[in-house]
Amino acid sequence: MSIRTCSLILMSALLAGCNMGPKSSYGFTLPDGDAAVGKDVFTAMSCNGCHSVAGMPELREGFDPELKVVLGGKTTRIKSYGELVTSIINPSHKLARGYKDEDVSIEGMSKMTNYNDVLTVSELIDLVAFLQAQYELELHPRTTYPPYTY
Ligand code: HEC
């Protein structure tokens, strides 16, 4: 076996090892949620006080919102439910991109309310179903290079 093949096998074994560690999300699957119920949970829990949802201005009508962190819309990478669930139950793990730190966090901690003792698991599942459906996958156009001639 060549050194190259050998190191490839070793690398994939290491990577697989990382994915399957005790803290890995391997095997984590949410049941299907009800997006319509999730939309109601979104307003009932005042998520709309800090978040607007792409294409749904009605969610912010009639009051003065505290913050404007947009959820949904075009992304280059689909938001997996793993990411969405984590953003809700552990907002500070990774702060939303495209904002000034001081607009979304205080001393590295997300300004987002902690809902862990408030949301039921069913509400979380429905919320994630609602939010996931608001993202629209838009892949980067591939760069095409002209033929190269001397
Ligand atoms: C007090 C304001 C506030 C409330 C209320 C709030 N959030 Fe947030 N949320 C934030 C801020 C600020 C961020 C950006 C920083 C971060 O990523 O944690 C954020 C980030 C997020 C993100 C990640 C966005 C991204 O692009 O990475 C999701 C998803 C989210 N919130 C969902 C919710 C849901 C669902 C609710 C209601 C249950 C909610 N938020 C309520 C302030 C809030």
Side-chain angles (χ1 to χ4, degrees), residues 47 50-51 71 87 91 94-96 104 110-113 115:
C47 310
C50 296
H51 294 289
L71 303 179
S87 303
K94 200 171 77 181
L95 297 175
V104 294
S110 172
K111 283 188 182 174
M112 182 157 152
T113 313
Y115 286 94

Side-chain angles (χ1 to χ4, degrees), residues 1-2 9 24 31 34-35 49 52 55 74 77-78 80-81 89 96 101 125 148:
M1 195 190 310
S2 74
I9 292 173
S24 98
D34 183 330
S52 60
K74 290 187 168 43
R77 206 169 47 87
I78 203 80
S80 70
Y81 62 66
I89 61 186
D101 281 355
I125 291 167
Y148 188 79

Side-chain angles (χ1 to χ4, degrees), residues 30-46:
L30 288 180
D32 285 338
D34 183 330
V37 175
K39 188 176 175 186
D40 292 340
V41 176
F42 192 81
T43 44
M45 290 289 162
S46 307

Side-chain angles (χ1 to χ4, degrees), residues 41-42 45-51 66-67 69-71 79 83-84 87-88 91-92 94-97 99 103-105 110-113 115 119 127 131 135:
V41 176
F42 192 81
M45 290 289 162
S46 307
C47 310
N48 52 341
C50 296
H51 294 289
E66 201 177 324
L67 292 174
V69 177
V70 185
L71 303 179
K79 291 262 185 203
E83 286 174 292
L84 287 171
S87 303
I88 299 169
S92 303
K94 200 171 77 181
L95 297 175
R97 297 200 317 196
Y99 301 91
D103 289 346
V104 294
S105 59
S110 172
K111 283 188 182 174
M112 182 157 152
T113 313
Y115 286 94
L119 275 178
L127 254 181
L131 288 178
Y135 288 94

